[in-house]
Amino acid sequence: QVQLVESGGGLVQAGGSLRLSCEASRSISIYRMGWYRQAPGKQRELVASFTSGGSTNYADSVKGRFTISRDNAKNMVYLQMNSLKPEDTAVYYCKALLFQSAYWGQGTQVTVSS
């Protein structure tokens, strides 16, 4: 089992940037890590993740603007978000997946003003 804590959310103007961090309580090297988000009244959706082969996968809506990265030595996963848009406003969650077991953080709010 792994505990995840997200940080780095906040209020930013459209066009701005934020960097989200996800700190894990144990080594993440064996987990498939990803970032998801949930806007008010909408379902939780994938933003970015690492595939089982170690490559990255992005939602079409964030391609070219967001970058997921990880530092296994520090048990950290990051989401660099550039050129933010009001439609990026949501609670962002970190997820760790190991086989069929999924672990989630508590989320961090990102609000983008127009």
Side-chain angles (χ1 to χ4, degrees):
Q1 190 171 351
V2 60
Q3 284 77 47
L4 305 171
V5 178
E6 302 95 336
S7 61
L11 174 64
V12 63
Q13 289 188 332
S17 298
L18 283 174
R19 187 195 195 204
L20 304 184
S21 298
C22 172
E23 182 176 7
S25 61
R26 58 176 296 173
S27 173
I28 60 170
S29 60
I30 61 172
Y31 293 90
R32 287 181 59 183
M33 303 298 298
W35 286 96
Y36 289 70
R37 68 185 180 187
Q38 187 166 18
K42 295 186 177 181
Q43 291 190 338
R44 194 171 297 188
E45 63 177 1
L46 171 69
V47 176
S49 68
F50 289 97
T51 68
S52 57
S55 59
T56 55
N57 178 49
Y58 295 92
D60 288 342
S61 59
V62 307
K63 282 181 180 177
R65 300 188 298 122
F66 291 11
T67 302
I68 188 172
S69 61
R70 65 194 293 169
D71 186 337
N72 287 347
K74 296 182 178 179
N75 301 335
M76 297 289 294
V77 181
Y78 306 98
L79 185 67
Q80 179 66 44
M81 305 186 296
N82 299 328
S83 302
L84 282 162
K85 304 175 180 179
E87 51 263 44
D88 295 319
T89 295
V91 178
Y92 284 71
Y93 297 91
C94 182
K95 176 185 176 183
L97 181 66
L98 180 62
F99 301 115
Q100 295 183 357
S101 296
Y103 306 92
W104 295 89
Q106 82 290 347
T108 185
Q109 176 70 47
V110 172
T111 302
V112 184
S113 63
S114 57

